[in-house]
Amino acid sequence: MALGMLGSLYASPLLGQTLPVRRPPAPSPASPPAPTPSTQPTTQPAARRSRITGRVVDAASGLGLADVQVTVTGTTLGARTDLDGRYNILNVPLGTYAIQARRLGYQPKQFDRVAVSGSDATIVNFSIGTAAVGLQSVVIRAEASDRSASEASLLSAQQKAAAASDGISAEQIKKTPDSNAGEAATRVSGVSIVDGKFLVARGLSERYSTTLLNGAEVPSPEPSKKLVPLDVFPASLLESIVVTKSATPDKPGDFSGGAVEIKTKEFPDNAIRQFSFSQGFNSQTTGRTLPFPERRAVDFLGFDRGYRAPPSRSTLTGDPSSQERFAEGVRSAWNPTPARALPNLGLGFTLGNQRPSERFALGYVLSLTYSSGQDFSQDRLFRYYLNTENAQRDFVYQDHRNTVDWGGVANVSLRLGASNKLSLKNLYTRNAEELFSTNEGFNEDRNGNLRNFQASYVERSLQQSQLSGEHLLGWLANSRLEWRATLSQSARNEPDNRQAEYVQAAGDGRFGLNFNTDFWFRVLNDRQRSLQADWQLPTRLLSIPATFKFGGAVRQKRRVFSAFLGSFNIDNLSEPPADLQFLPPQLLFTPENLGTWVRVGFPGGSAQPYDASDDVSAAYGLVDLTVASRIRLVVGARMENWSIDLFDGGRALAAQDTSRPPTIRRVNDLLPSANLTVALTERINLRLAAFKSVSRPDTRELSRDEYTEVAGSCGTIGNPDLQRGVIYNGDSRLEWYPRPGEVFSVSGFYKYFEDPILRAVSGRNGCTFGYLNGESATNFGGELEVRKDLTFLPGLLERLSVSTNLTVVRSSVIIPAAFGRFEPGLDLEGQSPYLVNGNLSWRSKNGRVNSSVLYNRFADRVVRYGFASGGSDQGPNIVERGRGTLDAKGQFTIGRGTTLSLSARNLTNASIQFQQSVDIGNDLTGRAIPGTTYSVGVSFAR
């Protein structure tokens, strides 16, 4: 079955087919077998009742089976599964029972010792395979266990998936100190994270991946990036993160490295009421007295509420007095009062339940998470070589940040009988960061030693609302209809970003204001609407079981970016006081100086707005064939129509100024794909896949505007001539699932790029990013993953489990000579030669103690190609040095529902380092020391 049907499986409970079985004499099809003495119900007082719930899935495809009869043997109690394979048996007296699942054409299966012992529902899940009528049933002499959202259930879904994938479940995330999806994703095979939030899959930069939230694409709140930064998703809101590494026609075709599928929490089988509280302590920050920005009003929620809002540009006229009033309205906070840094705070709350019913089953979950903290980065280094001889820039920074992150999900699902299901899913995340930074160093472009003051405030938000439906059409050959309508919006508001630059005087060594002081106001709004519908028809082709799937999708995205750049300049014509320029910024930019000796100006060429529509429509079809019961072939094609209209300066300005025509793209792409899975045994799969995909430029990459992420850093200019690239992909994988929760897999991949989209340094001073199409590129490598319970060890060691993965990648890119003489065979940007993850976990027999030690390492990777122009050799690349980090977490259950957790991040105190290969050797050109963070938390749950 196609990959689009697998989303719900990533949170499905442990499947029963892997437990020891015995085969009793065949039961009569007409009636269920009589229970053996060990399975006779032993009931308690009738006043105490509970329910049995769970899911029945097809053993071959992993998909839910409808119309399966699940019965409590020896009683009249039972229920039929709905379109997802879920069932609810109500009003079951407390006791021990045998539970059986039967459907015509499938082999019956039975759990014979299921204890119903409390008010919470007992969860029993089945996996049944096709068989001739009358074959023996499978009786499992063991209790069923609830492993919802567990590692075992995710691996079971991975085993049955149509395409190769790797992921991490909510159960695994709980064992790590990870606070957001970006940190959690580093545990996935073949994945690394750049800048703490952007995913690099299989050595391909973030632009070659895509993000799906609950099955739908989401817009990015980052102006200069295509991929959604994963740090906007709090880890506690997630059900799973799955990276799909080969394509099927029902998924967007704009990816090659990986499609990151993030799934938020679903409603639980039992009532959940949970509250958590945590405190974090950083070795670099907590307890120190430092000049952090002042928090006011509702800053603790990440809302500025206009406190930092810039003055209105509508008040600007040619009148000097209007410019003076505007200048006085610009925020002038340059000297924060030092204060003691408090521990970081974390809060969480989750409420969920369901109301089971044969006709109207309702489930819901509400979850909120919040964190705030302070961060000090001491002696952060930035040095830059344009050539191999001398550094052109060299600065040491002291960064002080306040951060706030919070978010919530509100999901509700309604099942109407056994054939219809409606779901409404809502997610909102918000984070805010305020920075106060100072630095000293030199810049050849400024002719001397410099001292800079930086103040900035940024708010980011992301929200998504999705209404979806699933319908089993019994009147239409038992076909299935699924649809999904999604509204998404991301926003980035930067109301305050100022930098004052001072240069050291030659005579007395004092620092005076140099040229100007820049201030930026920028706002980004991305709105997206999408609709997708799939129709599946199960049938047979020449006696071969087959499922046809047809569908279509429409995605409409509108991005509006507005920006404004101003500067303060000392007016030398007004004969200012001799020492005015040497005043610190908090004394220089005051009302008595502004408009008198300090003037406001508005340089052009940077911070220009743009307005863009970026739409994709698609139609696709596939067939899912099961050949000889062990061979599964999913083959099909997707036709995508991509259109983009980008107006630099906005639509109104473009209509008036014909010298800046809009950037327009209209491209149709046919994207075939084939995924072959050969089940060598019930537990071993061989996968082969081939597919074609594309890489399309983002609106930021096409805009002529120059965008500077932080004042004083290198800017980025788009290229309106940029074209989309095409990628041809081949994958292979051998995977073995010896037991629930265990896997051994070996993968290989090869990718060939036509017109790959690359980022290189160009333009003035060798410190401006630009985008270009390379001639071609290749990327190939392999992955190894092992997850194993060490039950063969003696004593307490048998409770250990280990997981590790290794990825080895090689790449090569050819850049046209017109852009400069680049080195032949360059690595792709962001690609590490190898990645390693390791996790050693221990769990006590009663499950009250859990502990994990985690290790992550990546090798050196190019983060920016050296500067090159048409007639010069390439300068030295900026390389991020490989590093390894060691994390740990322990969880201890105290009493009923109370859990204490202790965690530590970066126990090795690894620093972030960059280097360039120059005449003097590999010179350290960048350094940041995040320190070690320790956290203690407690949660209370029912």
Side-chain angles (χ1 to χ4, degrees):
M1 194 66 67
L3 181 61
M5 297 291 295
L6 292 172
S8 61
L9 289 182
Y10 289 119
S12 63
L14 176 65
L15 306 181
Q17 74 271 23
T18 56
L19 299 175
V21 301
R22 70 174 181 87
R23 301 183 182 277
S28 167
S31 61
T36 64
S38 64
T39 62
Q40 291 283 358
T42 57
T43 61
Q44 297 185 24
R48 299 189 60 192
R49 294 176 178 268
S50 185
R51 62 188 175 93
I52 300 173
T53 187
R55 196 160 186 256
V56 183
V57 301
D58 185 295
S61 67
L63 298 176
L65 281 173
D67 203 33
V68 178
Q69 182 68 43
V70 183
T71 58
V72 181
T73 60
T75 75
T76 59
L77 299 173
R80 289 188 178 273
T81 58
D82 64 12
L83 75 171
D84 283 332
R86 299 186 182 276
Y87 69 92
N88 265 296
I89 304 176
L90 307 177
N91 298 315
V92 181
L94 305 191
T96 301
Y97 301 91
I99 312 298
Q100 187 179 77
R102 298 172 62 90
R103 177 179 164 176
L104 187 66
Y106 283 81
Q107 192 174 20
K109 180 170 286 188
Q110 176 177 305
F111 286 95
D112 70 349
R113 288 199 301 271
V114 176
V116 180
S117 57
S119 58
D120 287 345
T122 300
I123 300 173
V124 183
N125 299 292
F126 294 90
S127 176
I128 60 178
T130 57
V133 176
L135 287 184
Q136 294 177 336
S137 64
V138 178
V139 178
I140 301 175
R141 295 290 188 184
E143 296 180 1
S145 61
D146 175 19
R147 297 289 297 275
S148 180
S150 71
E151 179 178 6
S153 63
L154 187 143
L155 287 178
S156 179
Q158 178 178 307
Q159 179 185 1
K160 305 301 181 183
S165 62
D166 294 292
I168 183 169
S169 66
E171 181 186 65
Q172 292 171 278
I173 294 174
K174 288 179 182 178
K175 297 178 182 178
T176 73
D178 302 333
S179 61
N180 59 63
E183 295 172 353
T186 61
R187 318 295 178 184
V188 179
S189 178
V191 168
S192 62
I193 298 296
V194 175
D195 295 335
K197 52 190 175 183
F198 296 111
L199 181 140
V200 172
R202 290 182 161 178
L204 299 176
S205 66
E206 79 283 342
R207 72 154 357 276
Y208 291 103
S209 296
T210 189
T211 301
L212 304 177
L213 176 62
N214 295 320
E217 289 185 82
V218 286
S220 173
E222 292 292 331
S224 59
K225 298 291 185 180
K226 169 181 176 288
L227 185 69
V228 177
L230 297 183
D231 65 334
V232 302
F233 301 103
S236 60
L237 301 182
L238 307 182
E239 191 77 10
S240 63
I241 304 171
V242 175
V243 181
T244 303
K245 298 177 178 178
S246 62
T248 52
D250 53 350
K251 295 296 183 184
D254 186 10
F255 89 97
S256 180
V260 185
E261 300 190 55
I262 297 174
K263 185 177 181 183
T264 57
K265 288 183 175 180
E266 293 276 10
F267 64 87
D269 290 303
N270 287 302
I272 292 179
R273 291 189 294 272
Q274 180 174 332
F275 173 78
S276 62
F277 169 84
S278 67
Q279 294 254 260
F281 307 84
N282 181 266
S283 60
Q284 290 281 103
T285 307
T286 308
R288 300 183 64 176
T289 300
L290 298 164
F292 287 102
E294 180 186 7
R295 284 181 170 172
R296 299 184 58 175
V298 289
D299 281 355
F300 73 97
L301 288 178
F303 288 94
D304 173 59
R305 300 290 292 177
Y307 172 62
R308 301 169 184 85
S312 173
R313 282 178 287 169
S314 62
T315 61
L316 282 172
T317 66
D319 181 6
S321 62
S322 72
Q323 297 186 6
E324 180 178 350
R325 287 192 297 272
F326 181 91
E328 293 174 352
V330 175
R331 190 169 180 240
S332 185
W334 293 99
N335 189 29
T337 302
R340 185 175 297 275
L342 299 175
N344 297 338
L345 172 67
L347 300 171
F349 173 74
T350 300
L351 176 67
N353 204 350
Q354 67 166 283
R355 297 181 179 276
S357 169
E358 292 292 336
R359 297 183 61 190
F360 303 102
L362 177 69
Y364 64 90
V365 64
L366 172 66
S367 187
L368 300 172
T369 183
Y370 172 86
S371 66
S372 67
Q374 295 176 311
D375 172 67
F376 173 51
S377 181
Q378 183 176 12
D379 297 334
R380 177 172 65 87
L381 171 67
F382 172 70
R383 183 180 298 144
Y384 176 59
Y385 286 85
L386 183 62
N387 52 52
T388 61
E389 298 175 358
N390 300 301
Q392 277 66 49
R393 301 187 182 201
D394 193 343
F395 291 95
V396 176
Y397 293 74
Q398 313 299 326
D399 298 332
H400 311 79
R401 285 184 177 87
N402 291 334
T403 58
V404 172
D405 295 89
W406 65 273
V409 297
N411 296 342
V412 62
S413 183
L414 176 65
R415 291 189 179 90
L416 305 173
S419 300
N420 298 280
K421 174 185 173 183
L422 296 175
S423 298
L424 178 63
K425 297 180 179 180
N426 301 277
L427 175 136
Y428 182 83
T429 70
R430 186 176 190 87
N431 58 55
E433 174 186 296
E434 186 164 20
L435 168 70
F436 172 68
S437 176
T438 60
N439 68 69
E440 289 195 21
F442 75 85
N443 181 346
E444 280 192 354
D445 302 330
R446 295 293 192 260
N447 300 316
N449 295 327
L450 301 178
R451 177 179 293 166
N452 291 283
F453 299 85
Q454 173 83 39
S456 68
Y457 180 84
V458 178
E459 299 172 346
R460 297 184 302 169
S461 64
L462 173 66
Q463 63 185 73
Q464 184 193 79
S465 294
Q466 181 183 97
L467 180 64
S468 61
E470 301 175 36
H471 311 279
L472 187 62
L473 309 178
W475 52 271
L476 189 58
N478 283 324
S479 61
R480 186 183 184 105
L481 175 66
E482 296 185 4
W483 55 270
R484 180 189 303 120
T486 309
L487 295 175
S488 304
Q489 178 171 327
S490 65
R492 177 187 171 104
N493 181 26
E494 195 173 356
D496 185 22
N497 191 336
R498 293 165 286 122
Q499 182 189 40
E501 182 180 271
Y502 285 66
V503 65
Q504 190 173 34
D508 55 14
R510 291 185 298 170
F511 285 87
L513 190 71
N514 186 39
F515 295 112
N516 55 59
T517 293
D518 293 334
F519 54 89
W520 306 73
F521 312 135
R522 295 180 286 209
V523 177
L524 170 73
N525 280 291
D526 235 337
R527 295 182 176 87
Q528 183 170 293
R529 298 179 296 176
S530 64
L531 177 65
Q532 180 171 342
D534 300 322
W535 180 60
Q536 298 176 80
L537 175 65
T539 184
R540 302 184 75 86
L541 289 178
L542 301 176
S543 76
I544 297 175
T547 299
F548 287 92
K549 184 175 184 179
F550 304 96
V554 177
R555 186 214 71 193
Q556 296 178 334
K557 182 165 68 173
R558 175 78 180 272
R559 168 173 283 194
V560 178
F561 176 73
S562 60
F564 183 61
L565 171 63
S567 65
F568 289 130
N569 304 273
I570 293 180
D571 184 5
N572 292 316
L573 297 179
S574 63
E575 299 183 358
D579 291 337
L580 181 72
Q581 63 178 329
F582 298 110
L583 292 176
Q586 66 270 23
L587 298 179
L588 177 59
F589 304 110
T590 58
E592 56 267 25
N593 292 332
L594 294 174
T596 305
W597 296 297
V598 179
R599 306 286 186 182
V600 65
F602 306 100
S606 297
Q608 297 300 311
Y610 65 87
D611 190 335
S613 299
D614 184 353
D615 302 334
V616 175
S617 58
Y620 48 87
L622 63 85
V623 59
D624 188 343
L625 297 168
T626 303
V627 183
S629 76
R630 290 191 178 274
I631 300 175
R632 182 183 182 190
L633 177 63
V634 180
V635 61
R638 180 182 183 94
M639 173 62 78
E640 286 192 346
N641 173 266
W642 172 55
S643 65
I644 191 167
D645 296 276
L646 186 145
F647 301 87
D648 279 304
R651 295 176 189 260
L653 180 62
Q656 299 172 7
D657 184 1
T658 57
S659 65
R660 302 187 73 179
T663 301
I664 296 175
R665 295 287 185 276
R666 301 288 187 271
V667 182
N668 290 316
D669 288 296
L670 179 64
L671 307 174
S673 64
N675 288 268
L676 176 68
T677 304
V678 180
L680 303 178
T681 71
E682 289 186 359
R683 306 177 191 274
I684 300 177
N685 288 337
L686 172 64
R687 295 182 182 271
L688 300 173
F691 63 98
K692 177 184 175 182
S693 58
V694 294
S695 174
R696 302 187 180 103
D698 190 56
T699 51
R700 167 69 261 160
E701 298 166 339
L702 292 169
S703 173
R704 298 176 178 88
D705 168 47
E706 179 178 351
Y707 179 84
T708 303
E709 181 72 19
V710 176
S713 64
C714 298
T716 299
I717 296 179
N719 177 5
D721 296 324
L722 204 61
Q723 303 297 318
R724 70 99 170 87
V726 176
I727 309 108
Y728 300 92
N729 307 265
D731 282 83
S732 63
R733 182 172 185 149
L734 182 65
E735 53 190 25
W736 175 33
Y737 299 87
R739 297 196 311 173
E742 296 184 353
V743 64
F744 295 82
S745 68
V746 180
S747 306
F749 56 89
Y750 179 85
K751 302 176 185 294
Y752 178 77
F753 297 76
E754 292 180 353
D755 302 319
I757 297 174
L758 307 171
R759 185 179 69 151
V761 180
S762 61
R764 60 178 186 269
N765 303 324
C767 192
T768 304
F769 290 116
Y771 296 96
L772 57 93
N773 286 111
E775 281 187 15
S776 63
T778 58
N779 171 263
F780 61 93
E783 297 169 333
L784 171 68
E785 181 172 17
V786 177
R787 301 188 194 184
K788 173 67 178 172
D789 292 331
L790 305 183
T791 54
F792 56 85
L793 294 177
L796 294 177
L797 297 180
E798 70 173 356
R799 311 297 300 175
L800 285 170
S801 62
V802 63
S803 65
T804 184
N805 57 70
L806 167 68
T807 303
V808 178
V809 185
R810 295 291 182 270
S811 61
S812 176
V813 61
I814 300 175
I815 299 178
F819 295 104
R821 294 202 295 266
F822 284 87
E823 299 173 12
L826 279 170
D827 289 341
L828 285 167
E829 184 183 55
Q831 178 248 304
S832 293
Y834 68 86
L835 305 166
V836 177
N837 279 299
N839 182 356
L840 183 65
S841 300
W842 185 85
R843 181 178 181 177
S844 65
K845 188 174 183 179
N846 60 10
R848 290 184 174 272
V849 179
N850 290 271
S851 60
S852 297
V853 178
L854 307 103
Y855 182 75
N856 172 267
R857 183 172 185 83
F858 65 86
D860 293 358
R861 57 193 180 195
V862 176
V863 296
R864 197 177 82 176
Y865 297 131
F867 172 74
S869 62
S872 65
D873 291 332
Q874 177 193 355
N877 297 324
I878 298 179
V879 175
E880 183 177 5
R881 298 181 60 179
R883 64 181 181 272
T885 56
L886 185 67
D887 306 324
K889 184 170 185 177
Q891 294 174 295
F892 313 90
T893 301
I894 305 169
R896 183 181 178 183
T898 302
T899 301
L900 176 68
S901 64
L902 303 172
S903 64
R905 288 190 62 85
N906 194 24
L907 282 167
T908 54
N909 198 27
S911 61
I912 302 168
Q913 297 184 358
F914 301 87
Q915 68 182 26
Q916 288 182 275
S917 180
V918 295
D919 290 345
I920 62 174
N922 290 328
D923 191 24
L924 186 68
T925 57
R927 181 189 60 242
I929 306 173
T932 301
T933 300
Y934 303 92
S935 298
V936 57
V938 62
S939 66
F940 308 92
R942 178 192 177 279

